[in-house]
Amino acid sequence: MSQIALPLHAGGAGPSRIVVGNANATALEACAVAETWPFRTAILSGPPRCGKTLIARWFADNGLGQAIDDCDRIDETELFHRWNRAQESATPLLLISGATGGWKITLPDLASRLGAALHLEIGAPDDAMLGELIMLHAELRALPLGDDAVSYLVPRAERSHL
């Protein structure tokens, strides 16, 4: 017996559409006007799977500036040099931090520069946003889900970005 190869996509790709709601609207609005940021630098943080990487991809793909994901895991000296290069070229720099409990920067020069940056945070979704997230994740998995199902699930779901 032979197996038929099906054109399945890897599950880790994530959504290509950003659900905008109470949790991320302020961050998205700020990203749209990156030229107004102090020193053209912003730090975006939030809980795991809240869409930080998706926002960074949108930011870079739309030519709004450069985005560095998981910046809290990059060597601080390298990050300091990348900040300097962005300043020299007047390129907005969006830094994505996944650090829980705050990002501890040990390099004094980097700490002083990033201390002046705009700090953006993604919070927990409200009911409307959670409903949209449930619909999006069902759609990504090709699961038919009606409005009644979403109305049932929203008050019973954990307040997270799934």
Side-chain angles (χ1 to χ4, degrees), residues 31-146:
C31 286
V33 290
E35 67 277 358
T36 65
W37 297 346
F39 300 100
R40 290 177 297 280
T41 305
I43 300 171
L44 178 62
S45 60
R49 299 189 47 80
C50 69
K52 297 181 302 278
T53 299
L54 189 58
I55 291 172
R57 201 174 309 130
W58 167 81
F59 182 78
D61 289 350
N62 284 295
L64 298 170
Q66 180 186 17
I68 303 174
D69 201 0
D70 288 329
C71 63
D72 50 312
R73 296 182 182 194
I74 295 175
D75 176 69
E76 289 185 358
T77 303
E78 171 60 25
L79 188 57
F80 177 69
H81 291 306
R82 290 177 77 173
W83 184 89
N84 282 331
R85 284 192 298 272
Q87 293 303 306
E88 289 169 4
S89 64
T91 302
L93 183 62
L94 178 62
L95 302 174
I96 310 301
S97 172
T100 54
W103 179 18
K104 309 294 187 252
I105 303 169
T106 58
L107 187 65
D109 288 339
L110 181 63
S112 67
R113 282 151 179 84
L114 296 185
L118 177 64
H119 292 265
L120 304 168
E121 188 168 350
I122 298 177
D126 64 5
D127 286 356
M129 186 176 186
L130 187 58
E132 288 290 321
L133 288 166
I134 290 170
M135 290 295 287
L136 174 63
H137 285 279
E139 179 183 309
L140 290 172
R141 290 161 179 81
L143 297 172
L145 197 60

